[in-house]
Amino acid sequence: MAWIEPEVTKKPRRPMFLCVLSNTKTAHIPKLSAAGKTAELTDYTPAGDAELMETGNIISVPVLPMTPPYDTPTPAIMTRSALKLTDVPYHFINSGLIVTPEVPCIDLKAKPGEDIREPIAVRDVQGIYERAKFLAKRLRNQVDHVVIGESIPGGTTTAMGVLTALGYNGSVSSSADENPLELKKRVVEEGMKASGLTFGCLKDDPMKAIACMGDPMMPAVVGLVAGFQGTDVSVVLAGGTQMAAVYALIKHLGLNTEKLAIATTRYVVEDKSASFTELTRALGVPVVYVADPGFGKSELKGLHKYETGTIKEGAGAGGAMYLAGLYGITQEDFRAEVESVCKLLKAGH
C-alpha cells in the first residue's frame, strides 16, 4: 500500500501541529496501560514524549517512554521525525499534567483527571473547553490546516468510558501485546455505576460524559476544534480510538464535522482486538487517513514490535506521518529519520 492512504495531494500553505498532554489517574490501575514500565511511571510519559519531540531526548523524566518488555520506543519518535523533516510549526498544550515537561508548553490550567471509578473524573470541563477554544481563536489567523495529537496514558479506557456513556459499542485499542479489554470493560462498568450512568444515557450531554467518564485531554481537543469553526481551517484529529471518542463528542455537541478528518497508523486499523474502523463508520467520519511507516523493513528490533502490534499509536504519530506525506517525504526517508532518532536516543542513554 502507499504509505499514506488515501493519498493526499493538496498541500496546505500554513499547517500547524498541536499535541495535547494530559494525565488521568485511571492509568494507575495495574495492567491497564502499557505506556510506561510501571503504572506509576505513566505519570511521566506525556512529559517525556514532549521533551523527546522537542529535543530528541528526555530532560527531567527518569525513564524513557518505552513500552516493555522489548523497549519499543514511544510513538513520539515518529512525531519528532516528521516534525524535523517537515519543519511544521508546533505547540504542546498542558491540559492536566501530573508532571510538566522542561520544554515550552501552553497551559490550559486544567487539573489531572481522576480515576473514572470516582464519581467525577474531570473537573472544570467547561473551563478547559473555553480556554482551549480561546487559544484556537488566537491561533486561527496563523494557520489553514491543523493536526491535533495527544499523549495520555490510560486514554483508551477513558475513550471507552465516554463512548459507552454516549451510546456506542466498541472495543478500544491498547499499547500492549495483549489488549486488556476485559479489565477495561470492568473499569468502565464500575465507573458508569459510580456516576449512576447507563449505556447511552448522556448522548445529549457530552460535557457530562467527559466529566464522569473522560479525561482532561478531551475538553481541550473539543475546545480547539470549536475555536477553529467558522473559518477555512481544516482539522485532522491524530490518533486512534481516543480521537474517535473525541470525534463522537464533537458530533454530539452539534459542532460542524465537515472539515474534520482522523489520521492514524495502520497498526490501529489492523488491530483485531479493537473495532476502530466500525466505530469511525458508525460515527460518519468523513475521511480516515492511514499511515504505514513500514517498520518491518527496519534493522532495529524495537521498531519491529510495531509490526506485531505491541504498540500502535500515540503522541499524534499517525497525524505527524500524514503531515510528512503532505510534504512529499517518502516512507524510506521517514523510516531512516526514525532510525537515526532511535540510535541517538540509545547513544544518549
Side-chain angles (χ1 to χ4, degrees), residues 50-299:
E51 291 176 355
L52 185 54
M53 286 186 269
E54 177 77 30
T55 69
N57 220 317
I58 53 170
I59 306 164
S60 61
V61 175
V63 64
L64 261 174
M66 297 282 198
T67 297
Y70 303 98
D71 278 355
T72 310
T74 164
I77 54 153
M78 295 194 246
T79 311
R80 157 103 182 147
S81 302
L83 292 174
K84 259 185 88 180
L85 289 166
T86 59
D87 211 18
V88 166
Y90 59 91
H91 293 288
F92 301 118
I93 297 168
N94 172 355
S95 185
L97 284 174
I98 293 171
V99 176
T100 50
E102 292 291 318
V103 295
C105 253
I106 297 165
D107 190 359
L108 292 182
K109 306 286 182 223
K111 287 189 166 56
E114 297 298 329
D115 186 323
I116 59 169
R117 297 172 301 180
E118 298 291 327
I120 294 293
V122 185
R123 302 193 183 282
D124 190 26
V125 171
Q126 194 65 36
I128 301 167
Y129 168 86
E130 294 296 346
R131 290 189 286 278
K133 187 175 174 181
F134 183 78
L135 170 62
K137 285 185 169 174
R138 229 173 54 195
L139 293 172
R140 66 190 192 185
N141 294 334
Q142 305 166 30
V143 295
D144 62 352
H145 188 62
V146 179
V147 176
I148 307 173
E150 52 68 32
S151 176
I152 174 163
T156 56
T157 305
T158 49
M160 184 191 261
V162 161
L163 288 165
T164 304
L166 294 176
Y168 296 92
N169 280 312
S171 299
V172 293
S173 290
S174 164
S175 54
D177 265 345
E178 290 292 320
N179 188 351
L181 266 179
E182 288 313 309
L183 175 59
K184 290 181 184 185
K185 282 175 185 163
R186 197 163 69 244
V187 168
V188 167
E189 278 165 21
E190 287 171 20
M192 294 282 284
K193 202 171 168 187
S195 298
L197 305 178
T198 55
F199 180 80
C201 71
L202 294 179
K203 65 179 191 298
D204 298 323
D205 195 350
M207 290 304 209
K208 190 176 178 186
I210 298 173
C212 294
M213 299 300 294
D215 60 59
M217 174 274 290
M218 295 171 176
V221 178
V222 174
L224 289 168
V225 171
F228 289 120
Q229 297 251 298
T231 68
D232 290 331
V233 180
S234 49
V235 177
V236 172
L237 301 173
T241 25
Q242 286 163 265
M243 285 307 188
V246 168
Y247 184 93
L249 289 162
I250 291 163
K251 190 176 167 178
H252 282 252
L253 270 170
L255 295 171
N256 187 344
T257 55
E258 277 173 35
K259 288 186 176 157
L260 265 185
I262 291 180
T264 191
T265 65
R266 78 169 173 85
Y267 309 122
V268 169
V269 174
E270 292 172 6
D271 180 5
K272 288 185 173 52
S273 72
S275 48
F276 173 77
T277 303
E278 292 81 349
L279 188 54
T280 52
R281 281 195 192 127
L283 288 165
V285 180
V287 190
V288 177
Y289 294 103
V290 183
D292 174 17
F295 285 157
K297 299 174 196 154
S298 175
E299 61 197 54

